[in-house]
Structure formats: structure tokens, C-alpha cells
Amino acid sequence: MSDHYSPVVEHLAEPETAREEGRRKMDWALQHMPILTELRESFVADQPLAGEVIAMAMHVEAKTANLVELLADGGAEVAITGCNPLSTHDDVSAALDAHENITSYAVRGVDDEDYYDAMHAVVAHDPTITVDDGMDMVKLVHEEYPELIDSIVGGAEETTTGVHRLRAMDADGELQYPVFAVNDTPMKRLFDNIHGTGESSLATIAMTTNLSFAGKNVVVGGYGYCGKGVAKKAAGQNANVIVTEVEPRRALEAHMEGYDVLPMDEAAATGDVFITTTGNRDVITKEHFEVMQDGVLLANAGHFDVEVNLEDLEELAVDQFEARDGVEAYEMADGRELNVIAEGRLVNLAAPIALGHPVEVMDQSFGIQAVCVRELVENSNDYAAGVHDVPDELDREVAEIKLAAEGVAYDSLSETQREYMDSWEHGT
Ligand code: NAI
């Protein structure tokens, strides 16, 4: 382990040029982030995070960078690294690092050792708050820096897989500080997971391959929030969508939505494009590769790179080569070629041209992150160690800012209606 891993600028040949390009990307994104813009006013004026040190492991690209700057402008010292070795934009990382309250260790394409060294370097700042996408920072603090736990007021977790791991840790009695399940709140999950993952995964696959979805059999592994988005947007691009599931109600939902529902064993033989969104492992394995058609595309939109079993694929392959930037072709003994996009890592962030979710949805997700961090500082005594839902009033606060920015007016309950809804006494 090393807590001497250098910030990003020491890894770049031309840091000044990188900073300028990163800043340009951040400025573009910020124009479409009314929630972060509105929160910035009060964060700058009130300095709610003064004195806090925030350790972050997130996808370091332009939208995240605007959240990081918001937290720093709100008074915090922030140290950040990536939560995936392929999703960092070095120029954005460099632009962030130029902020006097921010140190960024995120570098694209690092090996496992450097990836974890950067994580240790972040924790060496002695955080009082952690912000994660996948829970790696919480895990590192608990396993290797337990002495920090007493001074940590809490954390916030961005994604389904991270929340899933945190709940497992909490159930084992191991989670020793409060963490908000940002992923699970409506303003995040109903937009980011559904629309964000749907749009950006399909757009990234299309741009990386220069191929169309129209008329193709697109197999979506998992019909959760992300799977629903991918299926809906693929159908909207005239694909024939096939869903695989292990949960009976989700399988039924997909069926009632009009999609074909099949076991992966059957879908494997008919799919042209496969997109996994389960948060689980080994969704596509050896027996599936053996029956797939020549030329299929394999992509993963789940958090970790374990949904498409690449070890199985490597074992079956007689040859392997880069077919396009971001596309690795595996040639089978019978001559079929199976194409893996972005090394089976979450495709919308790890492919070479990937930009992640659209800016608008990340504005919502990161608006929730920002108000959760503020809440941890302002009301830390209200939260015991464990996983916490985002308080509904915070979710509403962010929704209201967004609706106002979009110029969308909506109704409110009259006093009579409120009384009626709160009463059990009215009957027929
Ligand atoms: P979810 O829990 O709503 O959905 C997952 C679905 O997969 C469930 O319906 C589950 O029954 C199903 N499933 C589990 N194992 C399966 C298997 N072996 N075969 C078929 N289906 C299976 O979770 P959500 O929110 O859809 O997230 C899914 C994954 O995507 C997580 O890893 C999450 O962290 C990640 N994620 C990725 C994003 C991205 O930008 N690519 C954005 C948000 C989440």
C-alpha cells in the first residue's frame, strides 16, 4: 500500500493543456445542471461543509467534477479518485486538481496496483465524509483505516451495487457509520438508472461499433431499473427485445410490457446484441458463448466487470484481436467471432468514447449527493451507523429545483384534500 501516490498532474505530459480541456468539458456540462447551479449559490454563501474532508471514489468525468467543485466551494477539502480504471477523463481530473480545495488522484487506464494506491492516497487525507460509487471507499476505511471511523460523520453511496454491498455489510453488523442510499431515492433511481443507463449504454454501443439496433435481437440481462431503461430505449430504436430474469415478478413485468422473456440458455442462440444489467456475476458464460451467432456484440452496463465471464471466453478463443477501438474480437475454433465492448466493464462509462449518462440526469443524482452530504454535516446526530434512505424532504427539494428550472408548474393539495388523504374515517 502507498499513501504517496501522486495527484493526476504528475502523471500527465501536458497538464496545462489538459486542465483547459477539462475545464471546457465541465463548463459545458454545468450549463445543463440547474440543480447544482442553484445549490452552488447557497453552498458558497453558507459554507455548510466548512472544516469537512470528503474522500470520494467516483467516475471522474465532467458531471462528477461539477459535484466535486460544489462540495469544495461549500467549504470542504475534497480528495478524489476513480471508481473504475477506465472511466476517468484525465483532463477533467487535472482541471479538478487545480482547485485549491481539491486533490485528484484519478488517472485513466491504471493497473490494479495504482488503482488501489490512489484509493489509499485519498484516505490519507483523513476524511470526515465518504462519497462512493460502488462502496470501495467505505470498505477500505473499515478494513484498513478503522481508526478514522470515529471522526467520520457519514457517507453517501451512488449506485445499486454499492447499496447492495452496504446493506449486506450492515446486516453482518459491520457498517460502523451512517451511509445514505442515494441510489434508492426516486430522484436518482427513476431517472439515472432508467433513462441514463438506457440512453447512454445504447448510444455508446452504437458509436463504438457504428452499428444499428434496428431489426436486431437485443438481449437484456436483468429487468431491474437499468434493464427497463435499456429495453425501452432499444425497443424505441426498433430492436426486438428479449429479456432474461431470475425474479418472477420482474420477468412478468417484462412479459406484460410485450418483450420476449427467455432463459439465457435460449436467448444466447438468437441474440445479436447482449447487454447485461444485473449487478450479478456470470450472467453470460461458456455454454452461452458456445451457441452464439457469429458477430454478436457483448456489453455490460452493470457495475462490475463480472457479468460477462471473460475468463470462459478467453479459454474458448483460438485468437483474440482488437476489431475496433473499444471492441475486442474473440475468435472461436469454428470461426465465429464474438465481440466484447469495453472489456466487459460498464459500457457507458468505460468505452473509449463513453461520456456516461446525459448531463441532465446526473444533475439530479448529484443534486441528491450534495444535499445528503449537507445533511450529514448539519444533522449527523440523527443518523446511527447503518444504511439510511434519503429523507423524503431532501428528494422533494431537488425535484422542486429541477421543475422550477424546467418551467414546469404542478398542482398542490388543498387543505381539504390533505385532510381527506390523511383520514381513515371517510367511507362510502
Ligand atoms: P436492480 O436490482 O433494479 O435490477 C437488477 C435485476 O437483475 C433484478 O431484477 C434481478 O432480479 C436481475 N438479476 C439478478 N441476477 C440475474 C441473472 N443471473 N440473470 C438475469 N437477471 C438477474 O438494479 P439496477 O438499479 O437495475 O442496477 C443494476 C446494475 O447496474 C447494478 O450493478 C448497478 O450498480 C448498475 N448501474 C449501472 C449504471 C450505469 O451507468 N451503467 C447506472 C446505475 C446502476
Side-chain angles (χ1 to χ4, degrees):
M1 97 128 239
S2 156
D3 52 10
H4 303 296
Y5 192 74
S6 334
V8 57
V9 284
E10 292 178 34
H11 300 260
L12 301 180
E14 293 186 33
E16 193 49 47
T17 319
R19 272 190 210 117
E20 280 170 25
E21 183 53 24
R23 174 57 55 187
R24 231 158 58 101
K25 289 183 181 175
M26 287 168 65
D27 287 348
W28 171 261
L30 194 61
Q31 287 176 49
H32 305 273
M33 301 184 94
I35 300 168
L36 292 197
T37 304
E38 164 105 11
L39 289 172
R40 186 176 288 248
E41 272 182 39
S42 59
F43 273 46
V44 168
D46 305 342
Q47 295 290 290
L49 312 181
E52 303 299 329
V53 180
I54 305 179
M56 302 179 74
M58 300 198 94
H59 302 291
V60 178
E61 49 70 66
K63 292 150 292 185
T64 314
N66 284 320
L67 168 67
V68 178
E69 273 207 344
L70 170 65
L71 300 175
D73 290 343
E77 177 197 335
V78 186
I80 183 165
T81 186
C83 64
N84 181 306
L86 285 185
S87 64
T88 295
H89 289 223
D90 287 342
D91 47 9
V92 171
S93 185
L96 269 183
D97 195 65
H99 191 293
E100 59 177 349
N101 291 352
I102 301 171
T103 313
S104 178
Y105 297 93
V107 179
R108 187 182 179 91
V110 287
D111 60 21
D112 275 7
E113 196 183 335
D114 282 359
Y115 178 79
Y116 287 107
D117 276 355
M119 201 79 82
H120 285 285
V122 166
V123 179
H125 287 249
D126 294 344
T128 57
I129 292 171
T130 59
V131 178
D132 259 311
D133 188 326
M135 205 206 86
D136 284 346
M137 194 65 76
V138 169
K139 183 166 180 283
L140 183 66
V141 166
H142 279 72
E143 285 180 347
E144 298 194 37
Y145 301 91
E147 69 279 7
L148 292 177
I149 288 172
D150 273 353
S151 44
I152 292 183
V153 293
E157 169 55 50
E158 173 77 9
T159 198
T160 313
T161 287
V163 171
H164 194 78
R165 294 174 79 197
L166 283 165
R167 289 200 194 281
M169 195 176 171
D170 198 7
D172 285 350
E174 299 290 337
L175 182 58
Q176 290 178 46
Y177 58 81
V179 182
F180 279 124
V182 169
N183 177 75
D184 292 0
T185 203
M187 278 298 285
K188 197 275 182 184
R189 180 151 70 177
L190 298 180
F191 303 91
D192 173 316
N193 299 34
I194 296 178
H195 297 283
T197 310
E199 287 180 25
S200 63
S201 300
L202 293 176
T204 306
I205 295 168
M207 294 296 289
T208 304
T209 61
N210 200 202
L211 297 174
S212 166
F213 293 103
K216 293 214 170 67
N217 288 337
V218 173
V219 178
V220 181
Y223 196 66
Y225 291 91
C226 294
K228 282 174 194 169
V230 172
K232 187 182 175 78
K233 311 275 174 178
Q237 294 190 43
N238 297 354
N240 172 43
V241 174
I242 300 165
V243 168
T244 74
E245 250 300 341
V246 293
E247 211 288 326
R249 287 146 306 177
R250 291 241 163 119
L252 188 55
E253 263 187 284
H255 172 70
M256 295 293 279
E257 214 42 62
Y259 305 127
D260 291 330
V261 178
L262 291 175
M264 186 58 87
D265 285 352
E266 289 176 41
T270 54
D272 299 302
V273 183
F274 294 79
I275 307 171
T276 52
T277 66
T278 69
N280 205 342
R281 60 176 306 143
D282 299 331
V283 181
I284 303 182
T285 55
K286 185 166 181 283
E287 63 269 28
H288 307 127
F289 300 132
E290 281 169 342
V291 299
M292 281 180 183
Q293 304 181 73
D294 181 30
V296 294
L297 305 179
L298 297 162
N300 166 48
H303 189 77
F304 287 120
D305 58 343
V306 293
E307 305 212 12
V308 180
N309 189 323
L310 289 186
E311 282 165 22
D312 281 2
L313 190 53
E314 272 159 24
E315 265 173 36
L316 287 175
V318 293
D319 192 16
Q320 189 180 330
F321 58 95
E322 189 182 54
R324 277 175 69 83
D325 204 13
V327 182
E328 188 76 2
Y330 292 77
E331 189 183 331
M332 303 289 105
D334 58 10
R336 286 173 304 129
E337 283 175 12
L338 315 186
N339 300 297
V340 175
I341 305 178
E343 302 176 12
R345 295 186 186 273
L346 81 178
V347 67
N348 55 330
L349 280 151
I353 51 121
L355 295 171
H357 287 358
V359 178
E360 296 91 332
V361 292
M362 292 320 294
D363 187 33
Q364 295 187 194
S365 304
F366 291 153
I368 298 287
Q369 285 282 5
V371 294
C372 281
V373 170
R374 189 190 64 195
E375 176 71 6
L376 284 170
V377 178
E378 286 177 352
N379 297 310
S380 58
N381 291 339
D382 293 354
Y383 301 97
V387 180
H388 292 267
D389 287 337
V390 174
D392 200 48
E393 64 272 17
L394 296 185
D395 201 61
R396 289 182 73 105
E397 175 188 343
V398 173
E400 282 162 7
I401 298 174
K402 175 76 177 186
L403 285 168
E406 297 273 308
V408 177
Y410 63 108
D411 286 331
S412 52
L413 293 174
S414 67
E415 204 42 51
T416 321
Q417 287 173 326
R418 197 181 305 279
E419 270 171 28
Y420 179 81
M421 295 301 283
D422 288 345
S423 164
W424 55 269
E425 287 174 339
H426 304 283
T428 44

